[in-house]
PDB file of all heavy atoms in Angstrom:
ATOM      1  N   ASP A   1       0.847  -1.163   0.001  1.00 95.00           N
ATOM      2  CA  ASP A   1      -0.017   0.035  -0.054  1.00 95.00           C
ATOM      3  C   ASP A   1       0.884   1.218  -0.003  1.00 95.00           C
ATOM      4  O   ASP A   1       1.508   1.562   1.036  1.00 95.00           O
ATOM      5  CB  ASP A   1      -0.878  -0.013   1.204  1.00 95.00           C
ATOM      6  CG  ASP A   1      -1.823   1.195   1.300  1.00 95.00           C
ATOM      7  OD1 ASP A   1      -1.760   2.093   0.434  1.00 95.00           O
ATOM      8  OD2 ASP A   1      -2.609   1.250   2.265  1.00 95.00           O
ATOM      9  N   LEU A   2       1.001   1.897  -1.111  1.00 96.00           N
ATOM     10  CA  LEU A   2       1.905   3.005  -1.296  1.00 96.00           C
ATOM     11  C   LEU A   2       1.397   4.299  -0.610  1.00 96.00           C
ATOM     12  O   LEU A   2       2.015   5.381  -0.724  1.00 96.00           O
ATOM     13  CB  LEU A   2       2.245   3.222  -2.758  1.00 96.00           C
ATOM     14  CG  LEU A   2       3.022   2.069  -3.328  1.00 96.00           C
ATOM     15  CD1 LEU A   2       3.191   2.213  -4.863  1.00 96.00           C
ATOM     16  CD2 LEU A   2       4.393   1.963  -2.733  1.00 96.00           C
ATOM     17  N   SER A   3       0.240   4.224   0.083  1.00 93.00           N
ATOM     18  CA  SER A   3      -0.222   5.371   0.819  1.00 93.00           C
ATOM     19  C   SER A   3       0.318   5.311   2.278  1.00 93.00           C
ATOM     20  O   SER A   3       0.165   6.253   3.067  1.00 93.00           O
ATOM     21  CB  SER A   3      -1.751   5.411   0.858  1.00 93.00           C
ATOM     22  OG  SER A   3      -2.261   4.343   1.603  1.00 93.00           O
ATOM     23  N   ASP A   4       1.047   4.246   2.548  1.00 96.00           N
ATOM     24  CA  ASP A   4       1.588   4.021   3.899  1.00 96.00           C
ATOM     25  C   ASP A   4       3.103   4.203   3.832  1.00 96.00           C
ATOM     26  O   ASP A   4       3.837   3.363   3.199  1.00 96.00           O
ATOM     27  CB  ASP A   4       1.271   2.605   4.316  1.00 96.00           C
ATOM     28  CG  ASP A   4       1.774   2.186   5.721  1.00 96.00           C
ATOM     29  OD1 ASP A   4       2.638   2.888   6.236  1.00 96.00           O
ATOM     30  OD2 ASP A   4       1.310   1.184   6.188  1.00 96.00           O
ATOM     31  N   VAL A   5       3.645   5.205   4.470  1.00 97.00           N
ATOM     32  CA  VAL A   5       5.075   5.566   4.477  1.00 97.00           C
ATOM     33  C   VAL A   5       5.891   4.330   4.975  1.00 97.00           C
ATOM     34  O   VAL A   5       6.939   4.012   4.408  1.00 97.00           O
ATOM     35  CB  VAL A   5       5.374   6.818   5.293  1.00 97.00           C
ATOM     36  CG1 VAL A   5       6.864   7.028   5.493  1.00 97.00           C
ATOM     37  CG2 VAL A   5       4.733   8.036   4.607  1.00 97.00           C
ATOM     38  N   LYS A   6       5.477   3.715   5.998  1.00 98.00           N
ATOM     39  CA  LYS A   6       6.196   2.526   6.524  1.00 98.00           C
ATOM     40  C   LYS A   6       6.253   1.394   5.536  1.00 98.00           C
ATOM     41  O   LYS A   6       7.268   0.721   5.344  1.00 98.00           O
ATOM     42  CB  LYS A   6       5.578   2.034   7.855  1.00 98.00           C
ATOM     43  CG  LYS A   6       5.833   2.956   9.022  1.00 98.00           C
ATOM     44  CD  LYS A   6       5.148   2.478  10.314  1.00 98.00           C
ATOM     45  CE  LYS A   6       5.321   3.486  11.379  1.00 98.00           C
ATOM     46  NZ  LYS A   6       4.594   3.071  12.609  1.00 98.00           N
ATOM     47  N   ALA A   7       5.118   1.211   4.785  1.00 97.00           N
ATOM     48  CA  ALA A   7       5.029   0.175   3.758  1.00 97.00           C
ATOM     49  C   ALA A   7       6.022   0.488   2.592  1.00 97.00           C
ATOM     50  O   ALA A   7       6.694  -0.430   2.102  1.00 97.00           O
ATOM     51  CB  ALA A   7       3.637  -0.017   3.256  1.00 97.00           C
ATOM     52  N   ILE A   8       6.117   1.775   2.280  1.00 98.00           N
ATOM     53  CA  ILE A   8       7.057   2.126   1.210  1.00 98.00           C
ATOM     54  C   ILE A   8       8.507   1.866   1.671  1.00 98.00           C
ATOM     55  O   ILE A   8       9.279   1.284   0.884  1.00 98.00           O
ATOM     56  CB  ILE A   8       6.881   3.672   0.904  1.00 98.00           C
ATOM     57  CG1 ILE A   8       5.547   3.935   0.250  1.00 98.00           C
ATOM     58  CG2 ILE A   8       8.062   4.150  -0.039  1.00 98.00           C
ATOM     59  CD1 ILE A   8       5.162   5.426   0.137  1.00 98.00           C
ATOM     60  N   ARG A   9       8.837   2.225   2.882  1.00 98.00           N
ATOM     61  CA  ARG A   9      10.185   1.932   3.351  1.00 98.00           C
ATOM     62  C   ARG A   9      10.482   0.461   3.359  1.00 98.00           C
ATOM     63  O   ARG A   9      11.584   0.023   2.917  1.00 98.00           O
ATOM     64  CB  ARG A   9      10.367   2.525   4.750  1.00 98.00           C
ATOM     65  CG  ARG A   9      10.371   4.008   4.787  1.00 98.00           C
ATOM     66  CD  ARG A   9      10.603   4.582   6.133  1.00 98.00           C
ATOM     67  NE  ARG A   9      10.735   6.003   6.151  1.00 98.00           N
ATOM     68  CZ  ARG A   9      10.140   6.841   6.993  1.00 98.00           C
ATOM     69  NH1 ARG A   9       9.349   6.405   7.937  1.00 98.00           N
ATOM     70  NH2 ARG A   9      10.311   8.180   6.802  1.00 98.00           N
ATOM     71  N   ARG A  10       9.509  -0.334   3.812  1.00 98.00           N
ATOM     72  CA  ARG A  10       9.657  -1.836   3.789  1.00 98.00           C
ATOM     73  C   ARG A  10       9.848  -2.384   2.462  1.00 98.00           C
ATOM     74  O   ARG A  10      10.711  -3.212   2.193  1.00 98.00           O
ATOM     75  CB  ARG A  10       8.432  -2.475   4.515  1.00 98.00           C
ATOM     76  CG  ARG A  10       8.634  -2.823   5.956  1.00 98.00           C
ATOM     77  CD  ARG A  10       7.518  -3.764   6.450  1.00 98.00           C
ATOM     78  NE  ARG A  10       6.160  -3.343   6.025  1.00 98.00           N
ATOM     79  CZ  ARG A  10       5.374  -2.492   6.675  1.00 98.00           C
ATOM     80  NH1 ARG A  10       5.848  -1.837   7.741  1.00 98.00           N
ATOM     81  NH2 ARG A  10       4.206  -2.231   6.211  1.00 98.00           N
ATOM     82  N   VAL A  11       9.015  -1.930   1.479  1.00 98.00           N
ATOM     83  CA  VAL A  11       9.076  -2.514   0.189  1.00 98.00           C
ATOM     84  C   VAL A  11      10.361  -2.110  -0.544  1.00 98.00           C
ATOM     85  O   VAL A  11      10.883  -2.964  -1.291  1.00 98.00           O
ATOM     86  CB  VAL A  11       7.739  -2.244  -0.627  1.00 98.00           C
ATOM     87  CG1 VAL A  11       7.776  -0.851  -1.196  1.00 98.00           C
ATOM     88  CG2 VAL A  11       7.596  -3.256  -1.740  1.00 98.00           C
ATOM     89  N   VAL A  12      10.823  -0.961  -0.411  1.00 98.00           N
ATOM     90  CA  VAL A  12      12.061  -0.578  -1.000  1.00 98.00           C
ATOM     91  C   VAL A  12      13.235  -1.485  -0.472  1.00 98.00           C
ATOM     92  O   VAL A  12      14.058  -1.971  -1.216  1.00 98.00           O
ATOM     93  CB  VAL A  12      12.430   0.927  -0.844  1.00 98.00           C
ATOM     94  CG1 VAL A  12      13.837   1.222  -1.235  1.00 98.00           C
ATOM     95  CG2 VAL A  12      11.404   1.803  -1.581  1.00 98.00           C
ATOM     96  N   THR A  13      13.221  -1.665   0.822  1.00 98.00           N
ATOM     97  CA  THR A  13      14.237  -2.547   1.402  1.00 98.00           C
ATOM     98  C   THR A  13      14.060  -3.978   0.906  1.00 98.00           C
ATOM     99  O   THR A  13      15.080  -4.633   0.525  1.00 98.00           O
ATOM    100  CB  THR A  13      14.108  -2.530   2.981  1.00 98.00           C
ATOM    101  OG1 THR A  13      14.320  -1.227   3.450  1.00 98.00           O
ATOM    102  CG2 THR A  13      15.089  -3.471   3.635  1.00 98.00           C
ATOM    103  N   ASP A  14      12.855  -4.452   0.802  1.00 98.00           N
ATOM    104  CA  ASP A  14      12.653  -5.870   0.290  1.00 98.00           C
ATOM    105  C   ASP A  14      13.079  -5.989  -1.156  1.00 98.00           C
ATOM    106  O   ASP A  14      13.727  -6.998  -1.497  1.00 98.00           O
ATOM    107  CB  ASP A  14      11.128  -6.178   0.394  1.00 98.00           C
ATOM    108  CG  ASP A  14      10.610  -6.388   1.786  1.00 98.00           C
ATOM    109  OD1 ASP A  14      11.442  -6.443   2.728  1.00 98.00           O
ATOM    110  OD2 ASP A  14       9.374  -6.415   1.965  1.00 98.00           O
ATOM    111  N   VAL A  15      12.787  -4.987  -1.963  1.00 98.00           N
ATOM    112  CA  VAL A  15      13.251  -5.041  -3.350  1.00 98.00           C
ATOM    113  C   VAL A  15      14.781  -5.071  -3.418  1.00 98.00           C
ATOM    114  O   VAL A  15      15.368  -5.893  -4.101  1.00 98.00           O
ATOM    115  CB  VAL A  15      12.679  -3.847  -4.141  1.00 98.00           C
ATOM    116  CG1 VAL A  15      13.348  -3.765  -5.533  1.00 98.00           C
ATOM    117  CG2 VAL A  15      11.185  -3.990  -4.346  1.00 98.00           C
ATOM    118  N   ARG A  16      15.402  -4.160  -2.678  1.00 97.00           N
ATOM    119  CA  ARG A  16      16.884  -4.144  -2.661  1.00 97.00           C
ATOM    120  C   ARG A  16      17.506  -5.479  -2.215  1.00 97.00           C
ATOM    121  O   ARG A  16      18.405  -5.962  -2.866  1.00 97.00           O
ATOM    122  CB  ARG A  16      17.327  -2.990  -1.726  1.00 97.00           C
ATOM    123  CG  ARG A  16      18.847  -2.794  -1.702  1.00 97.00           C
ATOM    124  CD  ARG A  16      19.255  -1.712  -0.750  1.00 97.00           C
ATOM    125  NE  ARG A  16      18.724  -0.432  -1.145  1.00 97.00           N
ATOM    126  CZ  ARG A  16      17.856   0.265  -0.411  1.00 97.00           C
ATOM    127  NH1 ARG A  16      17.382  -0.185   0.749  1.00 97.00           N
ATOM    128  NH2 ARG A  16      17.442   1.470  -0.863  1.00 97.00           N
ATOM    129  N   GLU A  17      16.934  -6.051  -1.168  1.00 97.00           N
ATOM    130  CA  GLU A  17      17.476  -7.320  -0.665  1.00 97.00           C
ATOM    131  C   GLU A  17      17.211  -8.454  -1.606  1.00 97.00           C
ATOM    132  O   GLU A  17      17.988  -9.398  -1.702  1.00 97.00           O
ATOM    133  CB  GLU A  17      16.871  -7.617   0.703  1.00 97.00           C
ATOM    134  CG  GLU A  17      17.415  -6.695   1.751  1.00 97.00           C
ATOM    135  CD  GLU A  17      16.689  -6.874   3.161  1.00 97.00           C
ATOM    136  OE1 GLU A  17      15.761  -7.651   3.270  1.00 97.00           O
ATOM    137  OE2 GLU A  17      17.146  -6.160   4.121  1.00 97.00           O
ATOM    138  N   THR A  18      16.066  -8.435  -2.325  1.00 97.00           N
ATOM    139  CA  THR A  18      15.719  -9.523  -3.215  1.00 97.00           C
ATOM    140  C   THR A  18      16.312  -9.419  -4.643  1.00 97.00           C
ATOM    141  O   THR A  18      16.692 -10.374  -5.190  1.00 97.00           O
ATOM    142  CB  THR A  18      14.144  -9.543  -3.349  1.00 97.00           C
ATOM    143  OG1 THR A  18      13.572  -9.696  -2.065  1.00 97.00           O
ATOM    144  CG2 THR A  18      13.724 -10.773  -4.190  1.00 97.00           C
ATOM    145  N   MET A  19      16.318  -8.194  -5.135  1.00 97.00           N
ATOM    146  CA  MET A  19      16.671  -7.989  -6.571  1.00 97.00           C
ATOM    147  C   MET A  19      17.954  -7.190  -6.769  1.00 97.00           C
ATOM    148  O   MET A  19      18.394  -6.955  -7.918  1.00 97.00           O
ATOM    149  CB  MET A  19      15.513  -7.347  -7.308  1.00 97.00           C
ATOM    150  CG  MET A  19      14.256  -8.137  -7.240  1.00 97.00           C
ATOM    151  SD  MET A  19      12.930  -7.482  -8.215  1.00 97.00           S
ATOM    152  CE  MET A  19      13.466  -7.920  -9.866  1.00 97.00           C
ATOM    153  N   GLY A  20      18.497  -6.651  -5.714  1.00 95.00           N
ATOM    154  CA  GLY A  20      19.762  -5.807  -5.861  1.00 95.00           C
ATOM    155  C   GLY A  20      19.469  -4.364  -5.892  1.00 95.00           C
ATOM    156  O   GLY A  20      18.338  -3.929  -5.681  1.00 95.00           O
ATOM    157  N   PRO A  21      20.521  -3.567  -6.122  1.00 96.00           N
ATOM    158  CA  PRO A  21      20.379  -2.092  -6.073  1.00 96.00           C
ATOM    159  C   PRO A  21      19.300  -1.559  -7.024  1.00 96.00           C
ATOM    160  O   PRO A  21      19.192  -2.080  -8.145  1.00 96.00           O
ATOM    161  CB  PRO A  21      21.793  -1.630  -6.427  1.00 96.00           C
ATOM    162  CG  PRO A  21      22.689  -2.764  -6.214  1.00 96.00           C
ATOM    163  CD  PRO A  21      21.850  -3.986  -6.453  1.00 96.00           C
ATOM    164  N   ILE A  22      18.676  -0.478  -6.614  1.00 97.00           N
ATOM    165  CA  ILE A  22      17.713   0.203  -7.426  1.00 97.00           C
ATOM    166  C   ILE A  22      18.411   1.290  -8.251  1.00 97.00           C
ATOM    167  O   ILE A  22      18.967   2.230  -7.718  1.00 97.00           O
ATOM    168  CB  ILE A  22      16.623   0.774  -6.536  1.00 97.00           C
ATOM    169  CG1 ILE A  22      15.880  -0.302  -5.763  1.00 97.00           C
ATOM    170  CG2 ILE A  22      15.616   1.586  -7.364  1.00 97.00           C
ATOM    171  CD1 ILE A  22      15.087   0.146  -4.571  1.00 97.00           C
ATOM    172  N   GLY A  23      18.325   1.098  -9.585  1.00 95.00           N
ATOM    173  CA  GLY A  23      18.949   2.070 -10.428  1.00 95.00           C
ATOM    174  C   GLY A  23      18.002   3.036 -11.103  1.00 95.00           C
ATOM    175  O   GLY A  23      18.409   4.095 -11.563  1.00 95.00           O
ATOM    176  N   ILE A  24      16.679   2.665 -11.104  1.00 96.00           N
ATOM    177  CA  ILE A  24      15.649   3.496 -11.666  1.00 96.00           C
ATOM    178  C   ILE A  24      14.362   3.365 -10.754  1.00 96.00           C
ATOM    179  O   ILE A  24      13.963   2.256 -10.420  1.00 96.00           O
ATOM    180  CB  ILE A  24      15.258   3.021 -13.103  1.00 96.00           C
ATOM    181  CG1 ILE A  24      16.556   3.072 -13.972  1.00 96.00           C
ATOM    182  CG2 ILE A  24      14.246   3.987 -13.658  1.00 96.00           C
ATOM    183  CD1 ILE A  24      16.344   2.277 -15.238  1.00 96.00           C
ATOM    184  N   LEU A  25      13.846   4.530 -10.433  1.00 96.00           N
ATOM    185  CA  LEU A  25      12.599   4.577  -9.642  1.00 96.00           C
ATOM    186  C   LEU A  25      11.565   5.214 -10.576  1.00 96.00           C
ATOM    187  O   LEU A  25      11.754   6.305 -11.089  1.00 96.00           O
ATOM    188  CB  LEU A  25      12.787   5.421  -8.369  1.00 96.00           C
ATOM    189  CG  LEU A  25      11.501   5.772  -7.652  1.00 96.00           C
ATOM    190  CD1 LEU A  25      10.858   4.516  -7.095  1.00 96.00           C
ATOM    191  CD2 LEU A  25      11.799   6.761  -6.539  1.00 96.00           C
ATOM    192  N   HIS A  26      10.460   4.436 -10.792  1.00 97.00           N
ATOM    193  CA  HIS A  26       9.339   5.000 -11.598  1.00 97.00           C
ATOM    194  C   HIS A  26       8.161   5.190 -10.664  1.00 97.00           C
ATOM    195  O   HIS A  26       7.666   4.181 -10.139  1.00 97.00           O
ATOM    196  CB  HIS A  26       8.978   4.097 -12.723  1.00 97.00           C
ATOM    197  CG  HIS A  26       7.818   4.553 -13.491  1.00 97.00           C
ATOM    198  ND1 HIS A  26       6.776   3.779 -13.914  1.00 97.00           N
ATOM    199  CD2 HIS A  26       7.480   5.822 -13.983  1.00 97.00           C
ATOM    200  CE1 HIS A  26       5.890   4.463 -14.591  1.00 97.00           C
ATOM    201  NE2 HIS A  26       6.286   5.709 -14.613  1.00 97.00           N
ATOM    202  N   TRP A  27       7.723   6.437 -10.449  1.00 95.00           N
ATOM    203  CA  TRP A  27       6.604   6.722  -9.593  1.00 95.00           C
ATOM    204  C   TRP A  27       5.366   7.006 -10.439  1.00 95.00           C
ATOM    205  O   TRP A  27       5.307   7.998 -11.142  1.00 95.00           O
ATOM    206  CB  TRP A  27       6.899   7.919  -8.640  1.00 95.00           C
ATOM    207  CG  TRP A  27       5.858   8.053  -7.576  1.00 95.00           C
ATOM    208  CD1 TRP A  27       4.844   8.940  -7.555  1.00 95.00           C
ATOM    209  CD2 TRP A  27       5.796   7.307  -6.355  1.00 95.00           C
ATOM    210  NE1 TRP A  27       4.123   8.773  -6.445  1.00 95.00           N
ATOM    211  CE2 TRP A  27       4.634   7.764  -5.668  1.00 95.00           C
ATOM    212  CE3 TRP A  27       6.497   6.245  -5.790  1.00 95.00           C
ATOM    213  CZ2 TRP A  27       4.238   7.230  -4.406  1.00 95.00           C
ATOM    214  CZ3 TRP A  27       6.143   5.705  -4.608  1.00 95.00           C
ATOM    215  CH2 TRP A  27       4.986   6.225  -3.896  1.00 95.00           C
ATOM    216  N   ASN A  28       4.361   6.134 -10.342  1.00 93.00           N
ATOM    217  CA  ASN A  28       3.184   6.173 -11.154  1.00 93.00           C
ATOM    218  C   ASN A  28       1.923   6.047 -10.294  1.00 93.00           C
ATOM    219  O   ASN A  28       0.972   5.353 -10.638  1.00 93.00           O
ATOM    220  CB  ASN A  28       3.259   5.086 -12.233  1.00 93.00           C
ATOM    221  CG  ASN A  28       2.141   5.178 -13.214  1.00 93.00           C
ATOM    222  OD1 ASN A  28       1.873   6.220 -13.828  1.00 93.00           O
ATOM    223  ND2 ASN A  28       1.391   4.038 -13.433  1.00 93.00           N
ATOM    224  N   VAL A  29       1.937   6.718  -9.150  1.00 91.00           N
ATOM    225  CA  VAL A  29       0.853   6.483  -8.202  1.00 91.00           C
ATOM    226  C   VAL A  29      -0.039   7.702  -8.128  1.00 91.00           C
ATOM    227  O   VAL A  29       0.409   8.859  -8.096  1.00 91.00           O
ATOM    228  CB  VAL A  29       1.521   6.295  -6.765  1.00 91.00           C
ATOM    229  CG1 VAL A  29       0.460   6.061  -5.689  1.00 91.00           C
ATOM    230  CG2 VAL A  29       2.551   5.112  -6.813  1.00 91.00           C
ATOM    231  N   PHE A  30      -1.355   7.478  -8.099  1.00 83.00           N
ATOM    232  CA  PHE A  30      -2.318   8.557  -7.933  1.00 83.00           C
ATOM    233  C   PHE A  30      -3.625   7.968  -7.437  1.00 83.00           C
ATOM    234  O   PHE A  30      -3.881   6.784  -7.530  1.00 83.00           O
ATOM    235  CB  PHE A  30      -2.494   9.350  -9.249  1.00 83.00           C
ATOM    236  CG  PHE A  30      -3.290   8.634 -10.282  1.00 83.00           C
ATOM    237  CD1 PHE A  30      -4.639   8.878 -10.469  1.00 83.00           C
ATOM    238  CD2 PHE A  30      -2.671   7.675 -11.045  1.00 83.00           C
ATOM    239  CE1 PHE A  30      -5.393   8.184 -11.398  1.00 83.00           C
ATOM    240  CE2 PHE A  30      -3.359   7.024 -12.106  1.00 83.00           C
ATOM    241  CZ  PHE A  30      -4.751   7.286 -12.224  1.00 83.00           C
ATOM    242  N   LEU A  31      -4.415   8.824  -6.922  1.00 83.00           N
ATOM    243  CA  LEU A  31      -5.781   8.431  -6.411  1.00 83.00           C
ATOM    244  C   LEU A  31      -6.759   8.996  -7.454  1.00 83.00           C
ATOM    245  O   LEU A  31      -6.814  10.178  -7.686  1.00 83.00           O
ATOM    246  CB  LEU A  31      -6.040   9.014  -5.073  1.00 83.00           C
ATOM    247  CG  LEU A  31      -7.424   8.687  -4.423  1.00 83.00           C
ATOM    248  CD1 LEU A  31      -7.547   7.233  -4.173  1.00 83.00           C
ATOM    249  CD2 LEU A  31      -7.500   9.501  -3.090  1.00 83.00           C
ATOM    250  N   ASP A  32      -7.550   8.120  -8.055  1.00 85.00           N
ATOM    251  CA  ASP A  32      -8.442   8.553  -9.057  1.00 85.00           C
ATOM    252  C   ASP A  32      -9.773   9.021  -8.384  1.00 85.00           C
ATOM    253  O   ASP A  32     -10.610   8.227  -8.102  1.00 85.00           O
ATOM    254  CB  ASP A  32      -8.788   7.348  -9.980  1.00 85.00           C
ATOM    255  CG  ASP A  32      -9.601   7.727 -11.246  1.00 85.00           C
ATOM    256  OD1 ASP A  32      -9.678   8.941 -11.475  1.00 85.00           O
ATOM    257  OD2 ASP A  32     -10.055   6.860 -11.912  1.00 85.00           O
ATOM    258  N   ILE A  33      -9.814  10.362  -8.177  1.00 86.00           N
ATOM    259  CA  ILE A  33     -10.944  10.966  -7.521  1.00 86.00           C
ATOM    260  C   ILE A  33     -11.523  12.046  -8.390  1.00 86.00           C
ATOM    261  O   ILE A  33     -10.776  12.667  -9.157  1.00 86.00           O
ATOM    262  CB  ILE A  33     -10.630  11.507  -6.148  1.00 86.00           C
ATOM    263  CG1 ILE A  33      -9.422  12.452  -6.189  1.00 86.00           C
ATOM    264  CG2 ILE A  33     -10.341  10.420  -5.121  1.00 86.00           C
ATOM    265  CD1 ILE A  33      -9.099  13.154  -4.916  1.00 86.00           C
ATOM    266  N   GLU A  34     -12.826  12.266  -8.282  1.00 88.00           N
ATOM    267  CA  GLU A  34     -13.460  13.342  -9.045  1.00 88.00           C
ATOM    268  C   GLU A  34     -14.125  14.250  -8.075  1.00 88.00           C
ATOM    269  O   GLU A  34     -14.404  13.963  -6.962  1.00 88.00           O
ATOM    270  CB  GLU A  34     -14.482  12.712 -10.003  1.00 88.00           C
ATOM    271  CG  GLU A  34     -13.887  11.898 -11.077  1.00 88.00           C
ATOM    272  CD  GLU A  34     -14.956  11.357 -12.057  1.00 88.00           C
ATOM    273  OE1 GLU A  34     -16.068  11.907 -12.075  1.00 88.00           O
ATOM    274  OE2 GLU A  34     -14.588  10.460 -12.828  1.00 88.00           O
ATOM    275  N   GLY A  35     -14.338  15.522  -8.575  1.00 89.00           N
ATOM    276  CA  GLY A  35     -15.072  16.464  -7.744  1.00 89.00           C
ATOM    277  C   GLY A  35     -14.348  17.855  -7.858  1.00 89.00           C
ATOM    278  O   GLY A  35     -13.161  17.882  -8.014  1.00 89.00           O
ATOM    279  N   ASP A  36     -15.161  18.880  -7.755  1.00 91.00           N
ATOM    280  CA  ASP A  36     -14.558  20.214  -7.773  1.00 91.00           C
ATOM    281  C   ASP A  36     -14.174  20.587  -6.315  1.00 91.00           C
ATOM    282  O   ASP A  36     -14.418  19.916  -5.344  1.00 91.00           O
ATOM    283  CB  ASP A  36     -15.528  21.261  -8.407  1.00 91.00           C
ATOM    284  CG  ASP A  36     -16.769  21.508  -7.556  1.00 91.00           C
ATOM    285  OD1 ASP A  36     -16.761  21.283  -6.357  1.00 91.00           O
ATOM    286  OD2 ASP A  36     -17.777  21.828  -8.195  1.00 91.00           O
ATOM    287  N   LEU A  37     -13.473  21.700  -6.210  1.00 90.00           N
ATOM    288  CA  LEU A  37     -12.967  22.119  -4.908  1.00 90.00           C
ATOM    289  C   LEU A  37     -14.008  22.503  -3.912  1.00 90.00           C
ATOM    290  O   LEU A  37     -13.780  22.502  -2.675  1.00 90.00           O
ATOM    291  CB  LEU A  37     -11.978  23.346  -5.037  1.00 90.00           C
ATOM    292  CG  LEU A  37     -10.628  22.956  -5.696  1.00 90.00           C
ATOM    293  CD1 LEU A  37      -9.785  24.247  -5.846  1.00 90.00           C
ATOM    294  CD2 LEU A  37      -9.880  21.989  -4.849  1.00 90.00           C
ATOM    295  N   LEU A  38     -15.238  22.741  -4.372  1.00 93.00           N
ATOM    296  CA  LEU A  38     -16.271  23.077  -3.461  1.00 93.00           C
ATOM    297  C   LEU A  38     -17.050  21.879  -2.905  1.00 93.00           C
ATOM    298  O   LEU A  38     -17.824  21.979  -1.951  1.00 93.00           O
ATOM    299  CB  LEU A  38     -17.302  24.038  -4.102  1.00 93.00           C
ATOM    300  CG  LEU A  38     -16.672  25.346  -4.615  1.00 93.00           C
ATOM    301  CD1 LEU A  38     -17.742  26.194  -5.402  1.00 93.00           C
ATOM    302  CD2 LEU A  38     -16.088  26.115  -3.447  1.00 93.00           C
ATOM    303  N   SER A  39     -16.806  20.697  -3.516  1.00 92.00           N
ATOM    304  CA  SER A  39     -17.546  19.485  -3.114  1.00 92.00           C
ATOM    305  C   SER A  39     -16.632  18.345  -2.686  1.00 92.00           C
ATOM    306  O   SER A  39     -17.097  17.443  -2.040  1.00 92.00           O
ATOM    307  CB  SER A  39     -18.471  19.066  -4.202  1.00 92.00           C
ATOM    308  OG  SER A  39     -17.767  18.644  -5.356  1.00 92.00           O
ATOM    309  N   ILE A  40     -15.394  18.346  -3.083  1.00 92.00           N
ATOM    310  CA  ILE A  40     -14.559  17.162  -2.793  1.00 92.00           C
ATOM    311  C   ILE A  40     -14.253  17.095  -1.320  1.00 92.00           C
ATOM    312  O   ILE A  40     -13.971  18.140  -0.646  1.00 92.00           O
ATOM    313  CB  ILE A  40     -13.241  17.280  -3.603  1.00 92.00           C
ATOM    314  CG1 ILE A  40     -12.445  15.944  -3.536  1.00 92.00           C
ATOM    315  CG2 ILE A  40     -12.369  18.431  -3.157  1.00 92.00           C
ATOM    316  CD1 ILE A  40     -11.271  15.879  -4.464  1.00 92.00           C
ATOM    317  N   PRO A  41     -14.360  15.928  -0.723  1.00 92.00           N
ATOM    318  CA  PRO A  41     -14.096  15.768   0.723  1.00 92.00           C
ATOM    319  C   PRO A  41     -12.630  16.085   0.978  1.00 92.00           C
ATOM    320  O   PRO A  41     -11.731  15.628   0.290  1.00 92.00           O
ATOM    321  CB  PRO A  41     -14.411  14.299   1.023  1.00 92.00           C
ATOM    322  CG  PRO A  41     -15.306  13.904  -0.062  1.00 92.00           C
ATOM    323  CD  PRO A  41     -14.900  14.689  -1.283  1.00 92.00           C
ATOM    324  N   PRO A  42     -12.398  16.928   2.006  1.00 92.00           N
ATOM    325  CA  PRO A  42     -10.991  17.256   2.328  1.00 92.00           C
ATOM    326  C   PRO A  42     -10.092  15.989   2.572  1.00 92.00           C
ATOM    327  O   PRO A  42      -8.919  15.981   2.255  1.00 92.00           O
ATOM    328  CB  PRO A  42     -11.095  18.069   3.638  1.00 92.00           C
ATOM    329  CG  PRO A  42     -12.418  18.727   3.500  1.00 92.00           C
ATOM    330  CD  PRO A  42     -13.265  17.676   2.872  1.00 92.00           C
ATOM    331  N   ALA A  43     -10.706  14.925   3.132  1.00 93.00           N
ATOM    332  CA  ALA A  43      -9.890  13.688   3.347  1.00 93.00           C
ATOM    333  C   ALA A  43      -9.406  13.159   2.003  1.00 93.00           C
ATOM    334  O   ALA A  43      -8.311  12.603   1.956  1.00 93.00           O
ATOM    335  CB  ALA A  43     -10.769  12.722   4.065  1.00 93.00           C
ATOM    336  N   ASP A  44     -10.217  13.253   0.935  1.00 92.00           N
ATOM    337  CA  ASP A  44      -9.741  12.804  -0.407  1.00 92.00           C
ATOM    338  C   ASP A  44      -8.605  13.672  -0.932  1.00 92.00           C
ATOM    339  O   ASP A  44      -7.642  13.147  -1.521  1.00 92.00           O
ATOM    340  CB  ASP A  44     -10.878  12.812  -1.386  1.00 92.00           C
ATOM    341  CG  ASP A  44     -11.873  11.650  -1.189  1.00 92.00           C
ATOM    342  OD1 ASP A  44     -11.567  10.742  -0.353  1.00 92.00           O
ATOM    343  OD2 ASP A  44     -12.932  11.640  -1.828  1.00 92.00           O
TER     344      ASP A  44
END
């Protein structure tokens, strides 16, 4: 779950230990939400 900072730290360590050094990081993460600024929940 890439919304969890601890999970990100764990998974980067797991990848490094399993597959070796990370030479390229591709960040393709977003939350698909709709709504204008007057109606979107602040939590979103």
Side-chain angles (χ1 to χ4, degrees):
D1 179 358
L2 295 171
S3 68
D4 179 346
V5 169
K6 289 179 184 176
I8 294 168
R9 290 182 176 135
R10 262 191 317 274
V11 78
V12 170
T13 299
D14 291 348
V15 168
R16 182 182 298 115
E17 290 175 354
T18 304
M19 301 184 77
I22 297 162
I24 304 162
L25 169 64
H26 177 226
W27 191 260
N28 186 50
V29 182
F30 72 99
L31 180 63
D32 190 11
I33 54 174
E34 294 182 15
D36 66 28
L37 288 177
L38 301 176
S39 64
I40 191 169
D44 286 351

